[in-house]
Amino acid sequence: MLDKKRGVDVMTILESISQKTSKILRVILTIDITLIAVLAFVQVIFRYILNWPGHFIDELISLCAVWLYFMGSVNASVEEKHINARMLEIFTDNVKVIAGIRLFAALASFLIAAWLTYWGYDYLLYSVRKWKTSVVLGYPLILYESAVFICFLPMTFFAFVEICKYFKIYKNNKSNGVEI
């Protein structure tokens, strides 16, 4: 996919974006999971040593867990390590057939992710309208609810990147070092 006017390989740019995003996500996920562990430790100290329930920590852990889940899903999309069943591929060694199957799967992933992104945007608008707050700390629940839209947006983008990758393999009939 060479842009003839500028001489820029679009796939190289998309792969560069994927690599940078993956590095940033690993840092965010590491911070998030560390924060959850620290909060859980503090919760144990409060609850069993100080005999204080500390319900605010439950809310903070829940918030971090929601973001951990969704950001982990984005990371799986970036690294193409999301759940898939490649049963049809065991019947052939033909690169074009395998790329075609994966292209179809990537297209289905893209369409579903785009639909969920649209739904997430609608949910975000609903959250803004309602402006619900948490019970204990009183922070806006949009901090939870925005995760759906914010994380499905890059998942949709990376599904598109996967479509481009497998289309290129399908069109050229060679994997060029891509694991097939």
Side-chain angles (χ1 to χ4, degrees):
M1 289 189 164
L2 191 63
D3 185 354
K4 302 276 188 218
K5 294 178 185 172
R6 297 184 197 123
V8 176
D9 184 18
V10 176
M11 281 307 298
T12 304
I13 293 170
L14 293 176
E15 288 169 9
S16 174
I17 291 170
S18 294
Q19 290 171 353
K20 289 175 183 172
T21 304
S22 183
K23 288 178 184 177
I24 292 168
L25 280 171
R26 277 191 237 123
V27 171
I28 292 170
L29 289 169
T30 302
I31 291 169
D32 196 10
I33 202 158
T34 302
L35 186 59
I36 290 172
V38 168
L39 287 170
F41 176 74
V42 170
Q43 176 81 335
V44 168
I45 300 295
F46 279 2
R47 197 168 277 178
Y48 297 109
I49 295 175
L50 301 175
N51 292 321
W52 186 54
H55 294 296
F56 69 95
I57 295 177
D58 292 335
E59 282 190 0
L60 292 174
I61 288 175
S62 295
L63 178 63
C64 291
V66 165
W67 279 97
L68 179 68
Y69 177 78
F70 279 102
M71 294 300 279
S73 297
V74 173
N75 191 53
S77 292
V78 171
E79 296 179 357
E80 292 184 38
K81 293 185 179 174
H82 39 66
I83 298 171
N84 56 40
R86 295 191 167 149
M87 299 300 288
L88 292 175
E89 295 177 14
I90 62 175
F91 297 108
T92 184
D93 290 334
N94 186 322
V95 172
K96 190 165 188 150
V97 171
I98 293 172
I101 292 168
R102 291 188 184 180
L103 177 62
F104 177 76
L107 183 61
S109 293
F110 174 77
L111 292 173
I112 292 167
W115 177 73
L116 289 171
T117 302
Y118 173 77
W119 175 83
Y121 178 70
D122 195 39
Y123 186 55
L124 180 68
L125 294 178
Y126 164 81
S127 298
V128 169
R129 271 195 321 272
K130 293 296 180 181
W131 203 256
K132 300 175 282 183
T133 58
S134 70
V135 176
V136 178
L137 293 175
Y139 60 79
L141 290 182
I142 196 167
L143 295 175
Y144 283 98
E145 296 161 344
S146 62
V148 176
F149 175 68
I150 291 171
C151 291
F152 269 112
L153 200 58
M155 288 167 60
T156 304
F157 172 74
F158 291 113
F160 177 74
V161 171
E162 198 173 344
I163 288 172
C164 293
K165 175 179 140 183
Y166 289 118
F167 179 75
K168 182 178 179 181
I169 293 170
Y170 181 81
K171 187 176 95 178
N172 296 334
N173 201 22
K174 53 187 173 183
S175 65
N176 292 336
V178 175
E179 186 178 319
I180 290 281

